[in-house]
Amino acid sequence: MFDPLTLARDNIRDLRPYSSARHEFDGAADVFLDANENAFGSPVDIALNRYPDPLSSTLKNRLAEINGVNSDQIFVGNGSDEAIDLLLRIFCEPRKDRVMTFPPTYGMYKVFADINAVGVDEVCLTTEFALDLEEICRQYTSSTKVMFICSPNNPTGNSLAVDDVLEVVERFGSIVVVDEAYIHFSERGSLKNEIDRFPNLVVLQTFSKAWGLAGARVGLALADSRIIDLMNRVKPPYNVNEISQRLALDALVNTGTIDSWVEEIKDQRSDLGRSLGKFGFVKTVFPSDANFLLVKVDDADAIYKFLLKQGIVVRNRNGVERCEGCLRVTVGTPNENSKLLKALSHYRASMPRSEETRQI
Ligand SMILES: *Cc1c(COP(=O)(O)O)cnc(C)c1O
């Protein structure tokens, strides 16, 4: 039987974690003189003079109910980026172990690996942006400790086939992280309820995208309780601040608002995709399961610069392998999207005649 502990670095397995005051005593009492806080209060409107719950327990209990998992199968972090970094540090011995990523994909997997001096094996997605199972097999070694699969994938926007993802989870003995930052915009279901079946599967979600709390920095990992326990031992004691814990909890009450925004974003996504596709300089609008569109254009750098001059910022992915000539455009409000379209028609008007005549 797979035991995540056997994969962890020796020093992490043997770690005696820091035990914070609020960790050692989290019961009810009248007088708290254990954490050197300012007992008089905070000089601001909200009372923040006490340390937050180190384990975000109230938030986790609510998330457990909503997601149909146990609260010991949830890690709450300072954004899901914290979870990515922790997983690398828990499972990968610097300069020895390796991780595998599937570009074009989210850049932070490699950045965190580089920071931790962990080698990265990059197995490109196929030209259809699917996992290349044969090549994964070829490049996988016993040093491969963590694989990062992003689905729906950033920046391509597509979801990866569930069968392919689960095949990777089943076939290899490494931790497989499935980053579901954009899952709310996808018709495909989350893999979060597969964590009981697969003790090497870690599902990442975040409050930063659909939930509209990017500024609060709250992300979560759902996984086997032994992996979650390792993450809790390695994380900084008070990794999620009091305000963010409360805001995330409040947000979970407003599911109706999020659901209707998600529906509107999906509608806007199809409208925007259709309109973009009509420009002659747009070669491809890739299908998207996320809140952005990857768009292949004639001259990505020129359009990117032109839009900047109009005060519109998109993400230039030209120069990223398999995304040559592509811009990544977040779906905005109807007003923002029409500003983008208007700016693009100005761009078209500014183009040389030969290009212009290619228009409808
Ligand atoms: C935006 C994004 C995240 C979010 O990270 P946070 O730290 O939770 O804000 C994670 N993964 C991917 C692929 C993303 O695009």
Side-chain angles (χ1 to χ4, degrees):
M1 194 44 203
F2 177 88
D3 181 356
L5 280 173
T6 61
L7 274 191
R9 293 164 65 196
D10 296 340
N11 59 315
I12 302 295
R13 210 170 31 235
D14 300 340
L15 180 73
R16 283 191 47 196
Y18 176 73
S19 185
S20 64
R22 208 47 80 239
H23 196 88
E24 287 186 2
F25 183 84
D26 67 351
D30 288 331
V31 182
F32 283 95
L33 301 177
D34 58 345
N36 302 344
E37 298 147 337
N38 186 336
F40 289 78
S42 319
V44 291
D45 288 343
I46 353 164
L48 288 171
N49 52 319
R50 299 295 178 182
Y51 277 106
D53 171 2
L55 291 171
S56 305
S57 307
T58 316
L59 177 56
K60 269 202 285 210
N61 290 340
R62 186 74 192 103
L63 286 167
E65 268 170 32
I66 292 172
N67 290 295
V69 301
N70 297 327
S71 54
D72 65 1
Q73 293 173 306
I74 303 182
F75 165 82
V76 177
N78 183 5
S80 42
D81 282 350
E82 182 179 29
I84 296 167
D85 183 42
L86 285 176
L87 289 164
L88 268 157
R89 286 194 280 143
I90 290 167
F91 292 107
C92 302
E93 197 63 45
R95 295 182 185 82
K96 177 167 160 256
D97 292 329
R98 307 185 66 81
V99 298
M100 193 178 276
T101 65
F102 308 97
T105 193
Y106 186 47
M108 287 309 286
Y109 312 136
K110 181 167 161 47
V111 171
F112 279 128
D114 289 348
I115 291 169
N116 289 299
V118 168
V120 182
D121 293 311
E122 301 188 302
V123 180
C124 255
L125 297 177
T126 66
T127 45
E128 279 78 43
F129 299 146
L131 287 171
D132 185 343
L133 293 170
E134 261 178 45
E135 191 57 29
I136 295 172
C137 249
R138 246 195 302 277
Q139 297 213 25
Y140 178 85
T141 71
S142 57
S143 307
T144 311
K145 290 296 176 65
V146 186
M147 295 167 144
F148 289 100
I149 299 177
C150 188
S151 180
N153 186 40
N154 178 5
T156 58
N158 62 304
S159 295
L160 301 180
V162 173
D163 288 351
D164 288 356
V165 175
L166 290 182
E167 186 168 341
V168 172
V169 174
E170 277 193 285
R171 201 147 128 194
F172 304 100
S174 68
I175 299 291
V176 179
V177 178
V178 178
D179 187 341
E180 296 187 335
Y182 299 98
I183 194 70
H184 296 88
F185 306 103
S186 167
E187 304 308 317
R188 197 213 75 191
S190 167
L191 291 184
K192 66 190 177 192
N193 296 112
E194 301 290 340
I195 57 173
D196 285 321
R197 273 211 296 159
F198 302 110
N200 60 328
L201 171 65
V202 180
V203 174
L204 300 184
Q205 294 197 358
T206 177
F207 279 84
S208 297
K209 306 289 155 67
W211 282 98
L213 285 177
R217 312 302 306 126
V218 185
L220 43 148
L222 302 115
D224 185 284
S225 57
R226 291 166 293 183
I227 297 181
I228 300 301
D229 182 56
L230 287 168
M231 296 177 82
N232 286 332
R233 289 152 56 93
V234 175
K235 76 177 181 66
Y238 302 110
N239 60 326
V240 182
N241 71 72
E242 173 75 26
I243 301 179
S244 295
Q245 289 187 36
R246 280 198 237 162
L247 286 176
L249 208 49
D250 286 351
L252 292 174
V253 177
N254 291 319
T255 44
T257 311
I258 295 306
D259 289 346
S260 60
W261 275 340
V262 165
E263 284 315 307
E264 185 167 0
I265 289 166
K266 288 197 280 187
D267 287 347
Q268 287 294 316
R269 181 179 70 196
S270 4
D271 290 356
L272 183 62
R274 216 172 306 114
S275 307
L276 287 170
K278 287 181 186 157
F279 288 108
F281 56 81
V282 170
K283 291 180 183 160
T284 317
V285 179
F286 292 95
S288 173
D289 251 356
N291 64 342
F292 57 82
L293 291 165
L294 186 73
V295 187
K296 196 177 188 100
V297 292
D298 273 353
D299 191 343
D301 294 345
I303 296 176
Y304 175 76
K305 280 188 207 135
F306 184 89
L307 288 174
L308 268 190
K309 269 193 239 144
Q310 319 277 315
I312 298 174
V313 196
V314 299
R315 195 98 154 108
N316 189 355
R317 298 286 80 183
N318 191 18
V320 174
E321 192 176 357
R322 294 248 196 286
C323 293
E324 293 84 0
C326 287
L327 300 172
R328 193 194 69 193
V329 182
T330 306
V331 177
T333 62
N335 182 34
E336 290 171 328
N337 300 335
S338 65
K339 278 187 186 162
L340 170 72
L341 292 168
K342 207 163 153 195
L344 287 174
S345 31
H346 290 148
Y347 172 79
R348 183 185 62 199
S350 76
M351 282 164 75
R353 188 114 203 109
S354 60
E355 293 282 339
E356 200 183 334
T357 47
R358 288 186 48 231
Q359 269 306 302
I360 353 111

